[in-house]
């Protein structure tokens, strides 16, 4: 399996001189599992991935959304391959009581917010709303298994476990960590080769000692929580994801260094980073 990071920032894109090393695009990861192309989340990093995928058209992709807050869907209207006939895109998201994934993606492209509606995009798209704990088998050879679990975030969020030929990647974003390690997320992350985890805050930021007031209830975690989960689940590598928009490159490097004191095989997510497992 091969993982490439296209968007690693949380909440809002943050271009500028102070974020050029880590990157300022919001959540988007590409996974290649054998012949299967998997996309995790559709933040602004999806636009860059789309430009890269143009050379492979026509293609088939399986896309999983953790949830539909803006920073995880706002790249979709700028995903070039979605406008091109011949491409096939299967889109999955958590079952929401108010709107389906298709309705939400179409909503952000409604007039007057965007000039082109979802129904005008040329690629063949299928939508699937997932139930908690549902397992789906995907890919041209049906050899990739994707499991989900609910995290702790306002309006809900799904975490995903992607398995292929004995290798495991787990993606947990926008999920707050409370007094104990979440047993559902621990189960999902057991034995992961790579655990991508929302480590948006330092403990000091989360508590409100720096950077404004406390962030309790906002639905995000710290690098300490990520290290605790990685240890509890026996993960091999931890990736700190969803960096706060106020964190500069230097602040992310410091967060990474502090995390390595707790879980040595930790890296901070950076745009363009590739992990092979």
């Amino acid at each position: 399996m091969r993982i490439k990071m296209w968007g690693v920032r949380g909440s809002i894109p943050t271009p500028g001189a102070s974020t050029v090393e880590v990157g300022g695009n919001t959540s988007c990861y590409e996974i290649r599992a054998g012949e299967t192309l998997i996309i995790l989340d559709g933040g602004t990093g999806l636009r860059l991935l789309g430009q890269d995928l143009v050379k492979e058209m026509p293609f088939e992709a399986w896309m999983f959304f953790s949830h539909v807050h803006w920073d995880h869907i706002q790249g979709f209207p700028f995903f070039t391959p979605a406008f091109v006939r011949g491409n096939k895109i299967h889109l999955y998201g958590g079952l929401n009581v108010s709107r389906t994934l298709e309705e939400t993606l179409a909503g952000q492209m409604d007039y007057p917010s965007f000039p082109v509606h979802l129904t005008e995009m040329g690629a063949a798209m299928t939508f699937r709303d997932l139930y908690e704990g549902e397992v789906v088998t995907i890919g041209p050879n049906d050899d990739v298994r994707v499991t989900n679990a609910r995290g702790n975030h306002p309006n809900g969020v799904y975490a995903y476990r992607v398995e292929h030929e004995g290798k495991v990647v787990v993606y947990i974003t926008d999920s707050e960590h409370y007094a104990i390690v979440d047993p559902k997320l621990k189960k999902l992350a057991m034995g992961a080769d790579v655990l991508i985890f929302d480590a948006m805050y330092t403990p000091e930021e989360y508590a409100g000692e720096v950077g404004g007031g406390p962030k309790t209830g906002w639905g995000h975690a710290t690098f300490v929580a990520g290290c605790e989960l990685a240890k509890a689940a026996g993960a091999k590598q931890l990736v700190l994801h969803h960096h706060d928009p106020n964190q500069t490159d230097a602040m992310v490097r410091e967060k990474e260094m502090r995390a390595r004191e707790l879980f040595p095989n930790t890296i901070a997510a950076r745009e363009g980073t590739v992990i092979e497992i």
Side-chain angles (χ1 to χ4, degrees), residues 76-88:
F76 189 74
F78 302 93
F79 184 46
T80 299
F83 291 87
V84 180
R85 295 188 184 280
N87 294 323
K88 297 180 181 179

Side-chain angles (χ1 to χ4, degrees), residues 81-243:
F83 291 87
V84 180
R85 295 188 184 280
N87 294 323
K88 297 180 181 179
I89 307 172
H90 308 276
L91 302 102
Y92 298 79
L95 186 64
N96 190 300
V97 295
S98 58
R99 303 180 91 186
T100 66
L101 174 63
E102 183 176 6
E103 289 169 339
T104 303
L105 292 180
Q108 75 165 339
M109 298 175 72
D110 274 345
Y111 175 84
S113 300
F114 200 75
V116 182
H117 194 262
L118 178 71
T119 55
E120 299 176 67
M121 300 173 104
M125 299 186 203
T126 59
F127 290 85
R128 173 81 176 274
D129 296 296
L130 298 168
Y131 291 90
E132 181 180 8
E134 185 176 356
V135 179
V136 294
T137 303
I138 64 169
N141 302 313
D142 287 326
D143 59 353
V144 180
R145 175 185 169 100
V146 182
T147 312
N148 73 70
R150 280 190 182 272
N152 308 302
H153 193 66
N155 308 129
V157 69
Y158 273 21
Y160 294 106
R161 177 185 179 96
V162 181
E163 300 175 76
H164 175 66
E165 294 186 349
K167 301 296 184 180
V168 178
V169 176
V170 175
Y171 178 70
I172 301 174
T173 188
D174 294 60
S175 191
E176 194 160 355
H177 179 86
Y178 297 110
I180 62 170
V181 172
D182 187 309
K184 291 188 296 186
L185 298 183
K186 176 184 174 183
K187 180 181 178 181
L188 191 77
M190 287 298 296
D193 293 281
V194 177
L195 171 60
I196 302 166
F197 184 83
D198 181 319
M200 189 166 188
Y201 304 123
T202 65
E204 296 79 14
E205 289 169 338
Y206 182 73
E209 297 169 7
V210 298
K215 309 300 189 296
T216 307
W218 287 24
H220 299 282
T222 68
F223 68 81
V224 174
C227 293
E228 290 175 354
L229 177 60
K231 289 178 182 177
K236 297 180 178 65
Q237 182 174 25
L238 174 64
V239 177
L240 308 178
H241 168 60
H242 209 269
H243 306 304

Side-chain angles (χ1 to χ4, degrees), residues 3-15 18-30 40-49 71-72 74 171-174 194-201 220-221 238-249 252-253 255-256 267-275:
I3 307 159
K4 186 166 183 179
M5 306 175 191
W6 293 94
V8 301
R9 190 69 56 170
S11 298
I12 190 171
T14 55
S18 66
T19 60
V20 69
E21 174 195 329
V22 170
N25 282 292
T26 60
S27 299
C28 183
Y29 286 72
E30 171 192 5
L40 300 177
D41 270 335
T44 58
L46 182 63
R47 182 184 68 87
L48 301 177
L49 172 55
D71 51 330
H72 296 261
Q74 62 194 156
Y171 178 70
I172 301 174
T173 188
D174 294 60
V194 177
L195 171 60
I196 302 166
F197 184 83
D198 181 319
M200 189 166 188
Y201 304 123
H220 299 282
L238 174 64
V239 177
L240 308 178
H241 168 60
H242 209 269
H243 306 304
D244 186 271
N246 291 319
Q247 290 177 355
T248 64
D249 291 332
V252 173
R253 285 196 300 271
K255 182 169 66 171
E256 179 182 58
I267 64 169
R270 293 174 173 85
E271 284 183 31
T273 296
V274 174
I275 299 175

